[in-house]
């Protein structure tokens, strides 16, 4: 489970975030490209979901992350 205490500072404020356990597998960027980007070997949330489709994509990313580095505090 992701830990907001160790999330990357690049994440925009909001309920979704990526923490330091990220292994840069790119799955979240492939699943939710409107919300996740890669930077310096890790993913981060650059835009919080603004509609149901984006929210569903973010939830899919949370579920598929192999190291549980994506959190949702919403």
């Amino acid at each position: 489970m992701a830990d907001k205490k160790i999330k990357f500072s690049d994440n925009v404020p909001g309920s979704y975030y990526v923490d330091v356990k990220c292994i840069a597998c790119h799955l979240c960027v492939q699943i939710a490209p409107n919300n996740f980007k890669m930077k310096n070997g890790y993913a981060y949330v650059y835009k919080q979901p603004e509609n149901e489709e984006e929210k569903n994509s973010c939830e899919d990313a949370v579920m598929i992350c192999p190291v549980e580095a994506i959190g949702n505090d919403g």
Side-chain angles (χ1 to χ4, degrees), residues 8 20-26 37-44:
F8 288 113
V20 299
K21 293 187 299 281
C22 177
I23 58 170
C25 70
H26 296 258
K37 283 189 178 182
M38 298 297 299
K39 179 180 179 181
N40 299 326
Y42 61 86
Y44 67 99

Side-chain angles (χ1 to χ4, degrees), residues 7-72:
K7 67 182 178 181
F8 288 113
S9 60
D10 296 304
N11 291 293
V12 295
S15 50
Y16 289 93
Y17 60 90
V18 179
D19 75 15
V20 299
K21 293 187 299 281
C22 177
I23 58 170
C25 70
H26 296 258
L27 288 174
C28 59
V29 176
Q30 293 170 359
I31 292 170
N34 292 333
N35 306 96
F36 292 87
K37 283 189 178 182
M38 298 297 299
K39 179 180 179 181
N40 299 326
Y42 61 86
Y44 67 99
V45 177
Y46 79 95
K47 182 177 81 87
Q48 294 292 328
E50 297 177 343
N51 56 50
E52 200 63 31
E53 181 181 344
E54 288 183 354
K55 184 177 179 183
N56 289 337
S57 293
C58 287
E59 281 302 309
D60 289 345
V62 169
M63 297 302 294
I64 202 163
C65 180
V67 292
E68 298 181 344
I70 304 171
N72 175 7

